[in-house]
Amino acid sequence: MLKTVEITTKKRIEFIDVTSIVRQAVTESSVRDGICVVYVPHTTCGITINEHADPDVVRDIIYQLEKIVPESGSYNHIEGNSDAHIKASMIGSSESIIISDSKLMLGVWQGIFLCEFDGPRKRYLYIKTLEG
Ligand code: ZN
């Protein structure tokens, strides 16, 4: 099953916790044992799995990404959002999560985030579930 979810981001850089959206898609899919692929078809946003219990973790990740890849720099790309492209490549555009007994095998502290680097924008989140 493939589920497409539209997400409207509100800031230039923000991480949106999509864990409950992905869990819901897994429930709807009726896959008992398999794989869930979470993917974004964009070049300036990404997907990551990290701690969603303490929001300071996401704040620290964003803070450090901004230090490593600042918004302005000696970039060539005419659109002016090279930092967002670089950050998106660092994070990656998908994650795969094992489904066991109809549940995502996420750790207690893990959450799935859509990482916006050039918002606000309308984004698409693809969730593909496979039995096997
Ligand atoms: Zn661009």
Side-chain angles (χ1 to χ4, degrees), residues 17 19 23 50-55 57-58 107-113:
D17 191 334
T19 313
R23 281 195 212 279
N50 215 300
E51 176 165 341
H52 70 159
D54 178 2
V57 172
V58 160
V108 180
W109 307 109
Q110 284 183 316
I112 307 160
F113 294 92

Side-chain angles (χ1 to χ4, degrees), residues 43-44 77-82 84-85 118 121:
T43 60
T44 55
H77 177 46
I78 198 140
E79 198 186 4
N81 61 352
S82 282
H85 288 289
D118 196 27
R121 283 181 191 230

Side-chain angles (χ1 to χ4, degrees), residues 10-96:
K10 294 182 175 66
K11 298 179 188 168
R12 181 161 196 273
I13 299 182
E14 68 178 316
F15 282 23
I16 295 172
D17 191 334
V18 295
T19 313
S20 59
I21 293 170
V22 179
R23 281 195 212 279
Q24 178 67 31
V26 170
T27 302
E28 287 166 14
S29 75
S30 305
V31 170
R32 189 171 164 76
D33 289 288
I35 295 285
C36 175
V37 178
V38 184
Y39 170 75
V40 283
H42 304 291
T43 60
T44 55
C45 102
I47 294 287
T48 195
I49 295 174
N50 215 300
E51 176 165 341
H52 70 159
D54 178 2
D56 278 342
V57 172
V58 160
R59 280 188 210 114
D60 288 346
I61 292 171
I62 291 171
Y63 170 77
Q64 201 58 42
L65 282 172
E66 283 285 72
K67 277 181 71 173
I68 298 165
V69 188
E71 185 174 348
S72 0
S74 305
Y75 304 122
N76 292 302
H77 177 46
I78 198 140
E79 198 186 4
N81 61 352
S82 282
D83 69 305
H85 288 289
I86 295 164
K87 287 168 186 138
S89 269
M90 289 166 75
I91 291 289
S93 56
S94 72
E95 290 283 358
S96 301

